[in-house]
Amino acid sequence: MKKLFLAAVMFLAASTAIHAQLLKIGVKAGVNFASQPGDASLNGVAFDKEGITSFHAGLVAEVKLLEKFAIQPELLYSTQGATYKFADAQEDFKNELAYLSIPVMAKIYMTKSLSLEVGPQASFLLSQKNDVRFDDANTFDFALNAGLGLKLTESIFLQGRYSLGLTDASSNADIRNSVVQLSAGFMF
């Protein structure tokens, strides 16, 4: 009986260690350098656009499938948008969109600490703060992401990513979201 109990304890310990190596869960946060490239005019009035600096934060998981390959799904709160400058206006107008973003990144480890990351991202509009009056912002945004990840330790990591929007941010204008993200995170 003692041998059976000892074998069960060793099996549970081994499976927990294997599970810990295959799945890691963590948090990440960082800065967004967002813009909305494309051709835009509002009621026939042309304007200039500049990017905004905002943030993102959320949960991240890494599922290690092979020694040098993993899948990294994320659940992020991310703000994006642009500042608009109308020629006849005295002030700038900011269009800030808050999304629940769900990127699913394929991670290819080039070394033990450096990874190439690529994958799609689906985002759902949560709120909109705008002075531009783009009243019909699209509630869904689809993007492709590419970037690099660097593990500083087994728990602490840095990431840099570019997100190219493939869908229009508004049905009023031909603009898309474009975001450069710099992140820091911690895996438990």
Side-chain angles (χ1 to χ4, degrees):
M1 187 69 167
K2 289 180 185 179
K3 290 181 182 180
L4 182 62
F5 178 73
L6 183 59
V9 169
M10 290 183 67
F11 175 75
L12 285 174
S15 67
T16 301
I18 289 170
H19 179 70
Q21 291 176 355
L22 296 179
L23 174 67
K24 293 184 179 182
I25 296 179
V27 294
K28 74 181 247 184
V31 64
N32 287 348
F33 300 101
S35 63
Q36 292 182 323
D39 183 30
S41 64
L42 187 61
N43 297 328
V45 178
F47 49 83
D48 293 326
K49 296 178 286 193
E50 288 185 4
I52 63 170
T53 302
S54 57
F55 72 96
H56 64 276
L59 302 172
V60 59
E62 181 177 287
V63 181
K64 193 105 178 205
L65 300 176
L66 300 171
E67 182 180 338
K68 296 196 176 261
F69 182 76
I71 300 293
Q72 181 172 302
E74 301 174 5
L75 185 63
L76 303 174
Y77 177 84
S78 179
T79 56
Q80 302 168 25
T83 299
Y84 294 83
K85 297 181 180 214
F86 292 92
D88 59 348
Q90 298 293 324
E91 58 184 292
D92 300 339
F93 300 96
K94 189 174 185 181
N95 184 31
E96 186 175 302
L97 306 170
Y99 288 100
L100 176 65
S101 297
I102 307 168
V104 179
M105 307 299 289
K107 292 179 74 168
I108 301 163
Y109 281 94
M110 297 180 289
T111 68
K112 285 191 174 199
S113 59
L114 183 66
S115 61
L116 175 66
E117 303 173 358
V118 295
Q121 173 177 294
S123 298
F124 302 92
L125 185 67
L126 298 175
S127 67
Q128 178 180 12
K129 291 184 207 172
N130 68 21
D131 298 320
V132 186
R133 302 293 178 248
F134 286 145
D135 294 326
D136 56 351
N138 289 333
T139 58
F140 178 76
D141 184 57
F142 185 75
L144 289 178
N145 298 335
L148 295 172
L150 178 65
K151 284 185 178 181
L152 299 177
T153 67
E154 279 301 313
S155 299
I156 300 171
F157 65 90
L158 299 174
Q159 290 177 329
R161 179 180 298 169
Y162 176 69
S163 178
L164 174 64
L166 299 178
T167 56
D168 288 340
S170 171
S171 57
N172 264 353
D174 183 23
I175 55 173
R176 292 175 174 79
N177 288 312
S178 175
V179 183
V180 173
Q181 292 183 331
L182 301 176
S183 310
F186 185 82
M187 290 290 202
F188 300 102

